[in-house]
């Protein structure tokens, strides 16, 4: 039995990645939502995760059926690799070794990069923030550079593999970039028609739409996650 510990769907981009991956491939798992209250050591969030994750962060994947006893995985790339091996009959990564290496590179770039975009445009599924996005685009060259790099990466992969997803069929790479698609949409950042069409296709995926629906149902405004507005 797989358990996936996640934070609020509205805010937790890292939680979204393995959740969408599991859901889109119809892999069975139990969701354990740990609400963000604060990230202080004495918060309920940290106390709940104290016995689960060595880092006190989400997401956390626990495989209770792993050989040798329950296994805890607390990094999203490690989760992706583990699930790809655990469910080898599913093509979570592209089957071709060369293509798979490129897909891994794209995910690793997301894992460690695009900091300007992530910092300036926090994940917020419920919000439509074109005014915030316009100011960010005007004032932050790092965000413009990040979007330019994303656009070049996505356009190149879509052209090379023919779409509709980055490597043809849905894979870990699309799950990894799904939160970025929500950011580009929510902040209305300017992108090419090719990128906009890919964003729309990702948002329409059943697994992504299920995450969006869950986020909208939360109705949980956390002011420390939304410094750009006082209320909804």
């Amino acid at each position: 039995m797989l358990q996936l510990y996640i934070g609020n769907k509205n805010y937790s981009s890292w939680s979204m990645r393995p959740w969408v991956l599991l859901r889109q491939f119809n892999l069975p798992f139990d969701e354990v939502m740990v609400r963000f209250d604060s990230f202080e050591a004495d918060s309920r969030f940290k106390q709940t995760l104290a016995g689960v994750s060595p880092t006190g962060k989400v997401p956390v994947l626990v495989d209770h059926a792993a050989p040798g006893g329950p296994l805890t995985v607390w990094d999203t790339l490690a989760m992706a690799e583990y699930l790809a091996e655990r469910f080898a009959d599913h093509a979570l990564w592209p089957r071709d070794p060369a293509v798979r290496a490129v897909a891994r590179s794209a995910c690793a770039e997301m894992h460690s990069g695009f900091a300007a975009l992530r910092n300036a445009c926090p994940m917020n599924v419920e919000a439509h923030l074109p005014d915030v996005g316009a100011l960010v685009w005007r004032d932050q060259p790092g965000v413009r550079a990040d979007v330019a790099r994303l656009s070049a990466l996505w356009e190149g992969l879509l052209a090379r593999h023919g779409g509709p997803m980055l490597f043809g069929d849905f894979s870990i790479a699309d799950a990894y970039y799904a939160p970025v698609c929500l950011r580009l949409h929510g902040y209305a950042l300017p992108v090419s028609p090719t990128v906009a069409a890919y964003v729309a296709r990702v948002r329409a995926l059943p697994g992504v739409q299920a995450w969006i629906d869950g986020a909208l149902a939360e109705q949980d405004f956390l002011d420390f996650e939304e410094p750009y507005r006082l209320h909804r």
Side-chain angles (χ1 to χ4, degrees):
M1 181 182 69
L2 294 175
Q3 279 186 315
L4 183 66
Y5 289 75
I6 64 171
N8 291 55
K9 288 190 173 78
N10 194 55
Y11 302 114
S12 185
S13 60
W14 289 107
S15 296
M16 182 182 181
R17 292 179 170 95
W19 194 98
V20 165
L21 181 65
L22 287 160
R23 186 66 176 266
Q24 190 65 23
F25 277 101
N26 294 313
L27 302 177
F29 72 102
D30 289 333
E31 171 192 316
V32 183
M33 205 279 270
V34 186
R35 179 184 180 271
F36 294 157
D37 54 347
S38 84
F39 302 119
E40 301 299 324
D42 61 350
S43 67
R44 181 172 295 180
F45 175 80
K46 290 293 188 182
Q47 291 176 354
T48 300
L49 291 173
V52 180
S53 168
T55 63
K57 298 177 181 179
V58 288
V60 185
L61 180 70
V62 182
D63 186 353
H64 293 276
L71 171 69
T72 299
V73 186
W74 62 92
D75 175 84
T76 54
L77 266 181
M79 290 177 203
E81 294 287 5
Y82 179 72
L83 291 171
E85 294 180 356
R86 175 88 152 72
F87 299 97
D89 53 326
H90 294 70
L92 274 66
W93 288 119
R95 296 289 193 192
D96 181 88
V99 177
R100 186 163 63 247
V102 175
R104 283 185 165 125
S105 296
C107 290
E109 185 174 357
M110 178 67 256
H111 199 265
S112 61
F114 305 107
L117 175 61
R118 296 209 306 255
N119 291 335
C121 300
M123 171 91 154
N124 192 326
V125 179
E126 175 273 338
H128 184 55
L129 301 166
D131 292 341
V132 175
L135 290 175
V136 166
W137 191 258
R138 184 194 70 185
D139 296 338
Q140 302 207 28
V143 172
R144 297 195 297 272
D146 279 354
V147 173
R149 170 56 192 151
L150 277 169
S151 297
L153 175 65
W154 291 358
E155 288 173 357
L157 293 173
L158 290 167
R160 190 172 307 128
H161 301 289
M165 299 289 107
L166 294 177
F167 293 90
D169 295 329
F170 177 85
S171 72
I172 291 167
D174 302 293
Y176 236 73
Y177 280 101
V180 179
C181 292
L182 298 192
R183 282 179 163 99
L184 294 176
H185 174 80
Y187 290 89
L189 299 181
V191 295
S192 70
T194 297
V195 170
Y198 172 69
V199 167
R201 290 195 298 273
V202 170
R203 292 184 70 249
L205 291 169
V208 175
Q209 193 58 57
W211 179 275
I212 292 172
D213 291 344
L216 296 178
E218 286 176 350
Q219 296 293 306
D220 190 10
F221 176 72
L222 302 178
D223 55 1
F224 62 88
E225 289 281 358
E226 302 195 35
Y228 34 79
R229 57 181 180 173
L230 297 174
H231 56 80
R232 288 186 180 175

